[in-house]
Amino acid sequence: MDLSEQEQPLCARCMERPAVKEYVYRTMSEMVCSPCFYRWTLQDMYGDQALEIDAMRRRRQYDEALAHLDAILETNRDRDHDGYLARSIAYDRAMTLLIANRYTEALEAFIAGEKLGFEDVSLRWMNAHGAALTLEALGRDREAVTVLEEALGHQDPRYLPSARWVLMELVRLSEKAGQAVDPRWLRVAEAVANRYGVDMPVRDSPGEAILALAAITEEMQPKRRGE
Amino acid sequence: MKRHIAEQALAGLNDASLKMNSTASVKMLALCLGLTLASGVAIVSAGCGSSGAGHGAAVAGRGDAEVPDRIALRIRTCAADHRVYERSGDLAATFEVNLSADGQADTVALRDSTLNDESLEKCIASALRSLSERDLRGNRAGDPSLGSMSPESRALFGQVQALGCLASPPCLLALTFLLGAAYVTVHVVVVAVSEMSRPKARTAPTATAMPTTTAVPTVAKADDDEYERRCRPFFDECMMNQNMPAWNRKDFGPTKNCLACYRECKFHSRPRGVWPDYKCPQK
């Protein structure tokens, strides 16, 4: 590496490669590397378009929203090098179908989204939660529990604060399905409690303990990892 | 016709204003820039209410018109420099841009304005002088359905395309385009919202009653406006500062996934409407 490369500032986004391009978004401007420039152009474009999808759903223009999602993906497919756009659109497509009460299609869409993989475990949980809500709407509560349990089986300590709402939904759906919450999820709940810096409540059943934990932590911020 | 179009645009702004003002202490700023291009192709506005990014990634669907990045940026810079986000009430300005035979902006004339800021008007006009017909038509090159049509035969088929922020977050602006026949008019409608009310606590909004932990969420309510109102300001704020604070980079990398945080806040968090600050922190 020559001196000029050493002195070149690093990309403001990845902090790894040399910054070579100015990236402008809304009122923000920063120097980024070439891969980040293209990735973030795409990602920020979709971030704004997702709001347009929200607006269409509010207006109950579900077919238009689905068509718009398809068109965005088709138009930008060759720019979607790491599959970010395909995964994001798969999720939004499934949620749109769920909100439109088109449950059978929504379930297929959530399954299709799972096949694309997830960038992190919280996105897996969100997809599974959407699928569980869909199954619940179809009257298949036990399957909804199974889907959430399968997702919760994927763990990453970084995302424990999000596991809190997954556990809450698991309790709710389990009760609705008339089955007890599996005690194995208490270990996850205990890890969540630790992240919030509280003791795990002791109750007569795992479900009650999880709901008690949720109540205790509702107004709390989780600790930073390592604190 | 032009007047009618401008009224439509302003009506759109008023609708947006009413909607946004349903939230207390919202300040709304609106700039309507109507550009009449005397070259045979028309772009007319449909008013506010939609969004898109004025960046390089193409957005298909209802048209591909796009505000050129360099012009959108200059207009946003004008507005930011003149601190329009601090003003209250609706503001509007209408410009006419005449294109010369070579497709370049020949003159830019201010036709109507409530900006009450001559310097700002000049700044925006200066930005518009760099507009060319090529900018406006080039974005449609990829649409085969239009390629063989003469400008005069093109029916109105609008698309709102570019969205960006005029001012400091939280804010919202939309640049709205429609294509028309027989003449060229561009209305760029910019809406900026500042000082949006938001929950005092990022993780414990208490403005209205929330579902309890044992309440059964109704799927039909999954897209409820209430949760969007709670989560949207955080999303806007996140999008304007996507760099992850240093303390959180080890776990979550150098940037935030604001859209994922927004989705989690809006649809999945329990109670709903709670921003996942731990992975999309403000500071």
Side-chain angles (χ1 to χ4, degrees), chain A residues 29-43:
Chain A
S29 169
E30 56 194 6
M31 294 301 294
V32 299
C33 65
S34 194
C36 284
F37 178 87
Y38 292 108
R39 163 66 191 252
W40 284 95
T41 297
L42 190 71
Q43 185 160 330

Side-chain angles (χ1 to χ4, degrees), chain B residues 41-139:
Chain B
V41 185
I43 302 178
V44 296
S45 79
C48 306
S50 229
S51 63
H55 296 298
V59 181
R62 293 171 299 158
D64 287 339
E66 218 172 19
V67 176
D69 281 354
R70 58 191 172 79
I71 294 174
L73 175 62
R74 286 186 63 182
I75 293 174
R76 290 197 294 269
T77 304
C78 290
D81 288 348
H82 289 77
R83 306 176 73 83
V84 287
Y85 53 89
E86 292 182 348
R87 304 187 200 178
S88 59
D90 292 351
L91 304 175
T94 299
F95 292 84
E96 287 189 354
V97 178
N98 289 308
L99 290 187
S100 60
D102 62 4
Q104 299 301 306
D106 189 14
T107 61
V108 176
L110 178 66
R111 286 289 171 252
D112 195 11
S113 173
T114 60
L115 297 180
N116 198 26
D117 185 335
E118 187 176 340
S119 175
L120 172 59
E121 290 160 355
K122 284 181 178 176
C123 183
I124 295 172
S126 174
L128 295 176
R129 277 191 197 97
S130 63
L131 191 68
S132 73
E133 184 189 17
R134 185 184 181 87
D135 286 324
L136 301 170
R137 298 180 69 171
N139 289 309

Side-chain angles (χ1 to χ4, degrees), chain A residues 24 40 52 58 76 158 162, chain B residues 50 55 228 251 264 278:
Chain A
V24 178
W40 284 95
E52 177 72 5
R58 276 199 307 278
N76 296 285
R158 294 175 298 172
S162 292
Chain B
S50 229
H55 296 298
E228 186 164 323
D251 277 352
E264 181 169 334
Y278 78 95

Side-chain angles (χ1 to χ4, degrees), chain A residues 56-215:
Chain A
M56 289 178 184
R57 289 196 294 229
R58 276 199 307 278
R59 297 192 295 265
R60 299 177 185 271
Q61 295 173 326
Y62 303 120
D63 286 334
E64 289 86 345
L66 293 168
H68 196 52
L69 287 168
D70 290 343
I72 292 170
L73 181 58
E74 194 56 38
T75 306
N76 296 285
R77 196 182 291 278
D78 60 343
R79 298 181 177 92
D80 188 23
H81 302 302
D82 61 0
Y84 165 81
L85 190 64
R87 290 191 296 272
S88 299
I89 286 179
Y91 168 85
D92 277 328
R93 181 175 181 75
M95 286 302 296
T96 301
L97 289 164
L98 170 59
I99 292 163
N101 300 334
R102 289 160 61 174
Y103 302 126
T104 304
E105 293 170 86
L107 191 56
E108 290 172 0
F110 282 119
I111 292 169
E114 185 179 7
K115 288 177 180 171
L116 293 175
F118 303 102
E119 284 182 62
D120 64 57
V121 73
S122 68
L123 297 176
R124 175 186 292 278
W125 294 340
M126 288 161 61
N127 193 77
H129 185 224
L133 291 174
T134 306
L135 286 163
E136 181 188 13
L138 288 166
R140 296 157 61 179
D141 296 338
R142 284 178 179 266
E143 290 174 76
V145 171
T146 301
V147 165
L148 267 193
E149 286 188 323
E150 193 283 326
L152 200 52
H154 296 264
Q155 283 290 322
D156 184 332
R158 294 175 298 172
Y159 294 90
L160 275 170
S162 292
R164 179 182 171 278
W165 60 256
V166 185
L167 287 165
M168 291 170 70
E169 282 294 89
L170 183 62
V171 172
R172 183 184 67 78
L173 287 166
S174 296
E175 286 179 355
K176 193 160 181 246
Q179 61 189 72
V181 174
D182 192 317
R184 68 182 156 137
W185 301 120
L186 277 177
R187 278 191 303 164
V188 179
E190 286 164 2
V192 172
N194 184 52
R195 183 66 183 270
Y196 279 87
V198 300
D199 292 331
M200 183 67 200
V202 178
R203 296 291 186 275
D204 292 341
S205 70
E208 289 177 30
I210 289 170
L211 290 183
L213 172 66

Side-chain angles (χ1 to χ4, degrees), chain B residues 43 53 59 62-68 135-140 143 146 157-162 175-179:
Chain B
I43 302 178
V59 181
R62 293 171 299 158
D64 287 339
E66 218 172 19
V67 176
D135 286 324
L136 301 170
R137 298 180 69 171
N139 289 309
R140 309 211 62 77
D143 188 340
L146 300 171
F157 65 96
Q159 158 65 342
V160 177
Q161 258 298 358
L175 308 176
T176 303
F177 279 65
L178 276 178
L179 297 200

